[in-house]
Each structure stands twice: as structure tokens, then as C-alpha cells.
């Protein structure tokens, strides 16, 4: 079985503390009142009178610069580049910790009256800068809003608060209800339920269980002015547009997600895995397409190019495909039969058990260049996950890897297919460069510019599950085209002062004064 035991492998080896946000890590030296910000633009200060009001409305308020730096740190390479250069990304803000929905509402009322930016924060596992307080103001920490409210056994729906960490959530529903959500992102132990929803995340078994947007039944959201609204709540409905989906993936720009109703699944009691190798990545993609379009949906359908097959499986002359599934025996066996037939027509059988074991132990090493490689201070590593249609994926793979490799200073570009659908799939690219320390930011921007130019050319989705944040903001207008003004209109309607996470999703970072 995959999800209950094996997929957890790697989380309990001292890598993470159970139910804990991103650790402070290396923090640049800070000076109270005099620290130069690496990423903030004209941060808006929070006055003493507002701080006093926030203290009354919340559990705790942090104002010391060192606390703000440590409490806003994320996993984005852009943050790490500026921080290790001596400039903390976002040192100017106040961190406000809350534990109730009523507190969230009051904090938003205070912010609305003062026209102060509010950036919602929790696990801070994000890799795009989505939870960085670009304009300062208030960082609203939801980690203590972490209750499991209710479980509807007949409908298999759980009601949970947004700040509950993923590992604690999954352990609780397995232990108490014999259920799983099937949502296993690599950030599982340092991310929260609300973060999954806000960034439209995906887990490693999404081909079986779906992405987070498929799991949400309904939401409670606090709007910019403090109003609480409930959206969704039905298995299916024809009551106009799906308002819950409006907030899923909005990255805190339209409202503060405080509670969610989520679909669960019975714990699986049977699992299987098979593995094949292909001469080219394109042939492997064709095998995946055939599997999905013949009606199978294995929990994991992961295809690695030659570089990553060498790193992960010691097979640098192959493009390795791992297929794994879990659930009722009859269904799993049928999925495997379909998958075996498609793969046997195009590739060569590999050692199933050995590939699965290596994958469980090495699936987080995709950014590694080679065994024994020791990075220098100028080393930069990042990942880019996108979605395209099957027709375009082989060309997108070739062109993105070529574009990354053409940037001076690049060590290697590679990819694997991580999530698959009937009409397309997600390619998860890794980009690594090694340049002079003061050239890291320039290399990073050039690599991302080159890769995203290819995605826009093919009208592919810029992101499959990491989201937009600050990283992809420069490409959003071109990617959405004529639809981008519609996003701006929705933002103005729900947040007329632009106080909710300004500057994200490619939207303006200019706040409006109080009226």
C-alpha cells in the first residue's frame, strides 16, 4: 500500500518536525529599524495605534525585525538568493497570530480601516514567494487555527480549519476515521490545509485522488472588509458559477480561507507497482497517454527523462516510468492490466520492486546534478512544473530543456512527468546553475524567462500546482491574454483597496487609501 505507509517514507527521518512551519534556517544579519530589504517595495509601516489594536484582537503580535525575518521565510529560491546575499527578503511587517475565525475577521476590519496590506501565512513551504509581505503591513499567521471540526461519515466529508498541518491532519483522519484524503505533496509535513487550497496544490498520487480543487466541497472565507462568507457545499450544483473555485488558487488575494469541507476516501488495503523503460522521453509520454486514454488512472504515473533516471534509478540510458496504484484489488488489477499492455507495446520491462524502492527513497533528488556533486556558493537550483496537452508535450520538453541549457552558467535542465490526465499532463522541470555569487539572481531570471517563453508560445499553463506568487507574476498577463483584465476586475470587486496580498498573481501591488 502506498499512502498509509510508504508515501510517508522520508518525512520521519529528521527532515521535519511534526506539524511545524518552515524553520528559520540561515537568516541574514538584521538590525532593528535598519535592515535593507531584498524583495520588498516601499513597505507600508504599521503605526503604534494599529499595533495596539491588533494585540487586543489576536493571540500575539511580533514586531521585532529578527522575528519578522524568521517568521516570513519560505522555500523560494528567489528569497534564498537575496537572503544569503545579506538582504532578508521581507523584514518590514508585523506578524499577527490568531486562533479563531472571529479574530481573523477583526484583524481584517482593522486592516481595512487603515488600508494596510494583509498577507496570509501558515506553513510557508511555498516556492514562489506567494506568502511574502511584498508591501509590508500585516502578516496574518493562521497556524493556530487548526481544529478538526466535524466528520460526516456517510458522506465522507471532513470539516477542518485552515491552519492544520498536513501530517497531523492525515494521521488524525486515518487513526480516528479509517480515511485518507490521498493528498501527499512533497511539502506534506510543513504545509497546511489552507495553503494547499490557496495555491491549488497537488499530491504525488493525484492521478488517482485528484488535485486539491477536486477534493474541496465547500469553504468559509473572510473577505477584505471582515465579512465571513460560505461558498460551495454540494457534490454537484447548477446554481450559477462555482464560487468556491473562485477562491481555490487565489493565493490570499481575494479572501482569507479559514475553514474547508473536504472529500475523503477509505484507506486502501491493496497496492501494486510496475516499471518500464523507454528509449526516449517522447515514447514514454506516448505510453502515459495511452494508459490514461484507455481508461486507467493509476495513483502514480511518473516518467523520468534520461538524466533523472540516472540520478534516481542508476539507469542513465533509459527513460524510466513507474506506475503504482492502490485501492480495491479488482480495480487496481484492472488498471495494471491496461497499463502493462500499453507499456509492453512501446518499452522494456524493468524490476518493479527495485524501481519502487528506489523511487520511495530518492524521489526528492530531482534537483541533484550527479552523485558526489558538491555545490559552490554560486549554485542555484529550482523546479518548474507546468501543464500542456499531449500533442505539445514532447516539443515543450525538448524546447524548455534546450532553453534552460542555453543560458550561460546552466549545469543541467531535466524533467519528469509527475501528474497525468486524459487530455494532458504536468511536466516537472529541474533547473540548476552555477555562477559567480553576485550573478545568481541574473542567471535565475534568465533561466525562468527562457523557459516561460516556451510555455507561453504553446499556450501551456505556467503552473500545475506550485502557483504564481511573485515568481510567475511577470508572465501572467501574457499567459492569460484577454482574460487577465477579468482577473483584475474580480480583484477590484472583492478587494477594492487592494489590501489582500498585493503584488501576487501578476496583480498590482498598489494599495488604495481609506475613504
Amino acid at each position: 500500500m502506498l499512502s498509509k505507509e510508504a508515501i510517508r517514507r522520508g518525512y520521519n527521518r529528521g527532515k521535519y518536525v511534526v506539524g511545524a512551519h518552515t524553520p528559520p534556517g540561515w537568516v541574514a544579519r538584521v538590525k532593528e529599524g535598519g535592515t535593507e530589504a531584498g524583495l520588498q517595495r516601499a513597505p507600508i509601516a504599521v503605526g503604534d495605534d494599529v499595533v495596539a489594536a491588533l494585540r487586543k484582537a489576536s493571540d500575539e503580535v511580533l514586531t521585532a525585525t529578527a522575528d519578522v525575518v524568521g517568521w516570513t521565510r519560505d522555500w523560494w529560491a528567489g528569497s534564498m538568493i537575496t537572503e544569503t546575499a545579506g538582504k532578508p527578503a521581507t523584514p518590514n511587517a508585523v506578524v499577527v497570530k490568531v486562533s479563531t475565525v472571529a479574530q481573523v475577521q477583526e484583524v481584517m476590519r482593522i486592516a481595512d480601516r487603515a488600508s494596510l496590506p494583509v498577507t496570509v501565512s501558515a506553513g510557508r513551504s511555498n516556492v514562489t514567494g506567494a506568502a511574502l509581505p511584498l508591501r509590508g503591513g500585516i502578516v496574518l499567521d493562521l497556524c493556530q487555527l487548526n481544529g478538526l471540526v466535524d466528520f460526516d461519515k456517510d458522506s465522507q466529508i471532513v470539516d477542518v480549519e485552515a491552519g492544520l498541518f498536513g501530517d497531523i491532519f492525515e494521521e488524525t483522519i486515518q487513526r480516528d476515521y479509517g480515511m485518507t484524503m490521498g493528498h501527499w505533496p512533497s511539502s506534506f509535513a510543513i504545509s497546511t490545509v489552507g495553503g494547499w487550497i490557496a495555491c491549488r496544490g497537488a499530491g504525488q498520487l493525484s492521478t488517482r485522488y485528484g488535485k486539491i480543487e477536486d477534493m474541496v466541497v465547500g469553504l468559509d472565507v473572510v473577505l477584505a472588509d471582515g465579512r465571513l462568507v460560505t461558498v460551495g457545499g454540494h457534490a454537484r450544483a447548477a446554481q450559477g458559477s462555482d464560487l468556491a473555485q473562485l477562491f481555490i488558487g487565489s493565493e490570499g488575494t481575494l479572501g482569507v480561507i479559514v475553514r474547508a469541507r473536504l472529500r475523503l476516501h477509505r484507506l486502501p488495503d491493496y497496492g501494486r507497482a510496475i516499471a518500464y523503460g523507454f528509449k526516449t522521453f517522447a515514447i514514454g509520454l506516448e505510453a502515459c497517454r495511452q494508459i490514461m486514454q484507455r481508461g486507467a488512472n493509476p495513483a502514480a504515473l511518473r516518467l523520468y527523462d534520461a538524466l533523472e533516471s540516472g540520478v534516481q534509478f542508476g539507469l542513465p540510458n533509459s527513460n524510466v516510468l513507474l506506475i503504482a496504484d492502490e485501492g480495491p484489488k479488482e480495480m487496481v488489477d484492472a488498471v495494471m492490466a491496461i497499463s502493462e499492455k500499453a507499456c509492453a507495446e512501446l518499452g522494456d520491462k524493468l524490476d518493479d520492486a527495485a524501481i519502487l524502492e528506489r523511487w520511495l527513497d530518492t524521489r526528492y533528488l530531482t534537483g541533484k546534478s550527479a552523485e558526489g556533486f558538491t555545490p559552490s556558493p554560486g549554485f542555484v537550483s529550482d523546479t518548474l512544473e507546468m501543464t500542456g496537452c499531449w500533442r505539445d508535450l514532447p516539443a515543450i520538453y525538448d524546447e524548455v530543456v534546450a532553453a534552460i541549457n542555453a543560458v550561460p552558467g546552466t549545469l543541467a535542465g531535466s524533467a519528469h512527468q509527475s501528474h497525468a490526465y486524459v487530455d494532458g499532463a504536468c511536466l516537472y522541470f529541474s533547473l540548476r546553475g552555477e555562477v559567480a555569487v553576485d550573478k545568481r539572481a541574473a542567471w535565475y531570471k534568465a533561466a525562468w524567462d527562457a523557459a516561460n517563453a516556451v510555455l507561453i508560445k504553446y499556450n501551456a499553463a505556467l503552473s500545475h500546482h506550485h502557483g504564481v506568487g511573485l515568481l510567475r507574476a511577470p508572465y501572467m498577463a501574457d499567459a492569460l491574454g484577454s482574460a487577465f483584465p477579468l482577473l483584475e476586475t474580480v480583484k477590484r470587486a472583492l478587494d477594492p483597496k487592494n489590501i489582500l496580498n498585493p503584488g501576487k498573481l501578476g496583480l498590482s501591488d498598489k494599495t488604495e487609501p481609506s475613504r
Side-chain angles (χ1 to χ4, degrees):
M1 186 170 62
L2 294 179
S3 65
K4 186 178 180 182
E5 297 167 354
I7 295 297
R8 277 299 305 270
R9 189 184 303 177
Y11 296 118
N12 295 327
R13 295 183 175 176
K15 188 175 182 181
Y16 303 127
V17 175
V18 174
H21 52 71
T22 292
W26 189 92
V27 178
R29 289 190 297 271
V30 297
K31 299 178 181 178
E32 289 301 318
T35 298
E36 184 178 358
L39 294 174
Q40 283 181 316
R41 299 194 287 262
I44 297 173
V46 181
D48 292 342
D49 57 335
V50 175
V51 170
L54 291 170
R55 292 191 191 281
K56 291 181 180 179
S58 65
D59 294 333
E60 185 179 7
V61 177
L62 305 177
T63 60
T65 303
D67 288 337
V68 174
V69 171
W71 217 258
T72 57
R73 178 182 176 269
D74 60 9
W75 286 86
W76 180 31
S79 303
M80 298 177 189
I81 288 171
T82 186
E83 187 168 299
T84 54
K87 297 180 181 179
T90 50
N92 301 292
V94 298
V95 177
V96 179
K97 300 182 182 183
V98 296
S99 56
T100 70
V101 173
Q103 288 176 323
V104 174
Q105 292 183 266
E106 183 57 26
V107 170
M108 290 310 308
R109 294 186 191 104
I110 292 170
D112 180 53
R113 290 193 294 268
S115 294
L116 283 172
V118 177
T119 303
V120 182
S121 178
R124 294 184 278 112
S125 63
N126 191 264
V127 293
T128 71
L132 292 174
L134 184 65
R135 294 298 308 277
I138 297 168
V139 174
L140 182 58
D141 187 281
L142 301 185
C143 290
Q144 297 306 310
L145 186 68
N146 57 9
L148 202 156
V149 181
D150 186 38
F151 175 57
D152 177 346
K153 180 180 179 181
D154 293 333
S155 306
Q156 297 187 174
I157 294 174
V158 67
D159 191 342
V160 59
E161 292 181 326
L164 187 60
F165 278 88
D167 52 353
I168 296 176
F169 171 60
E170 181 70 23
E171 287 176 0
T172 301
I173 61 176
Q174 287 192 17
R175 180 191 66 238
D176 295 349
Y177 310 131
M179 307 295 289
T180 180
M181 201 163 94
H183 188 71
W184 302 89
S186 58
S187 62
F188 179 68
I190 55 170
S191 58
T192 61
V193 170
W196 297 343
I197 297 168
C199 291
R200 215 171 183 88
Q204 296 174 66
L205 306 184
S206 70
T207 306
R208 161 66 64 207
Y209 295 105
K211 286 178 82 249
I212 195 69
E213 60 263 33
D214 305 307
M215 303 173 180
V216 173
V217 177
L219 298 172
D220 291 349
V221 182
V222 175
L223 301 180
D225 60 4
R227 285 179 294 160
L228 177 66
V229 297
T230 297
V231 291
H234 311 285
R236 290 290 185 270
Q239 298 180 163
S241 299
D242 189 338
L243 298 179
Q245 291 295 328
L246 184 67
F247 294 98
I248 300 171
S250 63
E251 299 185 15
T253 64
L254 302 180
V256 183
I257 297 167
V258 291
R259 275 174 62 174
R261 267 70 65 194
L262 303 167
R263 297 181 177 92
L264 301 183
H265 305 270
R266 297 177 184 178
L267 277 172
D269 55 10
Y270 178 75
R272 283 181 59 193
I274 60 175
Y276 276 79
F278 302 92
K279 291 181 179 179
T280 69
F281 193 69
I283 295 174
L285 287 173
E286 176 62 16
C288 294
R289 183 181 75 86
Q290 291 290 339
I291 289 169
M292 297 301 299
Q293 293 182 355
R294 292 180 186 185
N297 61 331
L301 187 65
R302 296 246 165 170
L303 171 70
Y304 295 84
D305 71 4
L307 192 156
E308 296 190 9
S309 292
V311 170
Q312 302 218 182
F313 307 109
L315 297 171
N317 297 317
S318 184
N319 293 263
V320 174
L321 173 63
L322 171 70
I323 307 165
D325 201 15
E326 63 178 23
K329 184 178 187 301
E330 297 86 351
M331 182 171 66
V332 172
D333 287 345
V335 165
M336 287 299 163
I338 293 171
S339 301
E340 286 265 21
K341 184 177 180 180
C343 290
E345 294 170 0
L346 297 167
D348 301 311
K349 193 78 169 65
L350 299 176
D351 185 332
D352 303 334
I355 294 297
L356 177 61
E357 284 300 306
R358 285 292 296 269
W359 180 72
L360 289 170
D361 284 335
T362 66
R363 65 195 187 275
Y364 302 122
L365 301 181
T366 52
K368 185 178 177 183
S369 293
E371 288 293 335
F373 173 72
T374 302
S376 74
F379 177 73
V380 182
S381 176
D382 203 9
T383 57
L384 181 161
E385 29 60 65
M386 51 71 61
T387 314
C389 62
W390 288 115
R391 177 191 62 194
D392 297 332
L393 285 177
I396 290 174
Y397 166 75
D398 288 339
E399 293 182 31
V400 169
V401 170
I404 294 169
N405 286 334
V407 177
T410 296
L411 290 172
S414 63
H416 60 279
Q417 177 205 270
S418 57
H419 309 265
Y421 308 93
V422 171
D423 52 352
C426 166
L427 296 188
Y428 197 106
F429 292 92
S430 291
L431 45 155
R432 284 87 78 197
E434 193 165 28
V435 295
V437 172
D438 62 349
K439 302 296 184 183
R440 292 177 302 167
W443 176 86
Y444 187 65
K445 183 179 185 303
W448 272 88
D449 286 349
N452 280 280
V454 176
L455 305 187
I456 291 170
K457 168 186 171 182
Y458 283 96
N459 194 34
L462 297 180
S463 175
H464 174 264
H465 57 275
H466 286 170
V468 177
L470 295 175
L471 173 59
R472 291 181 168 94
Y475 317 112
M476 279 289 283
D478 287 339
L480 295 185
S482 60
F484 188 73
L486 181 60
L487 176 62
E488 294 178 308
T489 299
V490 172
K491 170 69 169 172
R492 284 194 297 270
L494 291 178
D495 182 17
K497 296 181 182 179
N498 196 29
I499 62 173
L500 284 168
N501 210 6
K504 310 300 167 52
L505 296 181
L507 297 165
S508 170
D509 66 355
K510 183 180 180 181
T511 59
E512 299 295 330
S514 300
R515 291 182 174 87

